[in-house]
Amino acid sequence: MRIDILTLFPDMCETVMGESILGRAQQKGVLEIHCHQIRDYTDNRQKQVDDYPYGGGLGMVMYAQPIADCFRAVCAQAGVRPHLIYLTPQGNLLTQERAKELAAMPGLCLLCGHYEGVDERVIEALVDEQLSIGDYVLTGGELPALVLADCVARLTPGVLSDEACFTEESHYSGLLEYPQYTRPAVWEGREVPPELLSGHHAHIARWRREQSLLRTRRRRPDLLEQAEQEGQLTAEDRQFLENLPPDESETAR
């Protein structure tokens, strides 16, 4: 997969994308991430990328021209037009389901806005989708772009060591992930659940499923309701939930 990021701060994005799992994935050649400086595509001597908004108001608005030219250069480099996403608080909320859909695309291009955003005309002319990572406002689109890039890239085959690394995680199957433990077996008087020490794979799998259901019921009942509506719960899942007392606690075994 190839991901291009259009930004005024490419060094910031390259630093994050070049570290850890994503950095190793790029070294292996299973992932390409390219960060492009929008300012390089301005057509004025001062390399100015923004101006005051028509109609007045606080803040500045980014020009359409350098963004458009930067994106067109990316298209020429990639040899194909990537799916262009503008990161904005006004966009649809990013979900794991949407991330899975985006991961199936051959290439993505992420546009990072700044100041009061970008000229609406570039959105109308070029942007395919607008996404938000939450109902709050940040100083720029770089952090949301990095979140989206990480979320999508890790679903690309070869980035993680095994598909199970993400298929069992929170939200992938509609539920929250079960609790995780490591050595030692007893820490400050707190013991690892005996099911995990049993060596019985079927019992471990069932315990994890029940803990996932339990955690989702307590923390995100909306996800549990959605999973039921979408047919993601088995008859055994429903029986487990029906047998829970009304005042069950997350630590119930």
Side-chain angles (χ1 to χ4, degrees):
M1 160 169 267
R2 172 173 172 145
I3 299 177
D4 291 273
I5 302 177
L6 314 187
T7 171
L8 296 178
F9 301 96
D11 291 345
M12 169 184 175
C13 298
E14 288 172 352
T15 297
V16 175
M17 292 289 99
E19 294 291 335
S20 188
I21 293 172
L22 299 189
R24 292 195 294 271
Q26 292 179 75
Q27 292 173 6
K28 291 192 299 183
V30 297
L31 178 67
E32 283 187 65
I33 298 178
H34 303 274
C35 303
H36 308 268
Q37 172 59 268
I38 295 173
R39 198 178 299 278
D40 291 343
Y41 295 86
T42 56
D43 60 3
N44 60 76
R45 185 176 301 176
Q46 297 78 19
K47 295 294 181 181
Q48 184 177 344
V49 294
D50 60 344
D51 209 334
Y52 295 104
Y54 281 121
L58 298 175
M60 308 286 274
V61 176
M62 292 178 66
Y63 291 135
Q65 174 270 315
I67 295 172
D69 286 353
C70 185
F71 177 63
R72 288 164 182 152
V74 167
C75 294
Q77 292 172 19
V80 65
R81 186 192 189 283
H83 186 74
L84 180 58
I85 300 173
Y86 175 43
L87 285 305
T88 168
Q90 299 182 31
N92 294 324
L93 188 65
L94 173 64
T95 63
Q96 188 68 27
E97 190 60 33
R98 185 56 186 149
K100 287 190 281 185
E101 295 168 350
L102 294 173
M105 296 182 178
L108 300 176
C109 188
L110 312 181
L111 171 58
C112 306
H114 254 274
Y115 317 117
E116 292 304 303
V118 306
D119 191 305
E120 186 70 19
R121 290 168 294 186
V122 77
I123 298 176
E124 295 170 350
L126 298 175
V127 170
D128 298 302
E129 182 176 6
Q130 300 183 60
L131 286 177
S132 167
I133 63 167
D135 295 333
Y136 47 85
V137 179
L138 300 172
T139 55
E142 282 71 24
L143 291 178
L146 294 173
V147 168
L148 174 57
D150 186 290
C151 183
V152 171
R154 66 194 305 278
L155 301 177
T156 301
V159 171
L160 299 183
S161 59
D162 192 294
E163 187 177 279
C165 291
F166 58 78
T167 57
E168 294 185 4
E169 290 180 328
S170 295
H171 301 289
Y172 190 89
S173 62
L175 302 176
L176 300 183
E177 189 179 10
Y178 47 80
Q180 299 277 15
Y181 300 85
T182 189
R183 293 178 176 82
V186 180
W187 174 76
E188 296 190 356
R190 297 174 181 268
E191 299 181 0
V192 172
E195 292 86 349
L196 298 179
L197 304 175
S198 68
H200 194 298
H201 296 300
H203 290 174
I204 292 172
R206 189 59 212 167
W207 180 89
R208 285 176 168 172
R209 180 66 176 182
E210 289 175 353
Q211 292 299 309
S212 181
L213 291 165
L214 191 59
R215 178 164 284 188
T216 306
R217 172 173 151 164
R218 284 186 57 80
R219 298 184 183 181
R220 292 292 303 274
D222 57 311
L223 292 179
L224 194 60
E225 182 178 350
Q226 184 176 341
E228 173 64 38
Q229 293 173 351
E230 295 178 355
Q232 296 175 340
L233 301 185
T234 66
E236 194 174 8
D237 291 338
R238 289 191 290 272
Q239 184 178 6
F240 170 76
L241 292 168
E242 289 169 2
N243 291 337
L244 288 174
D247 60 344
E248 52 81 17
S249 69
E250 187 179 325
T251 56
R253 300 291 182 215

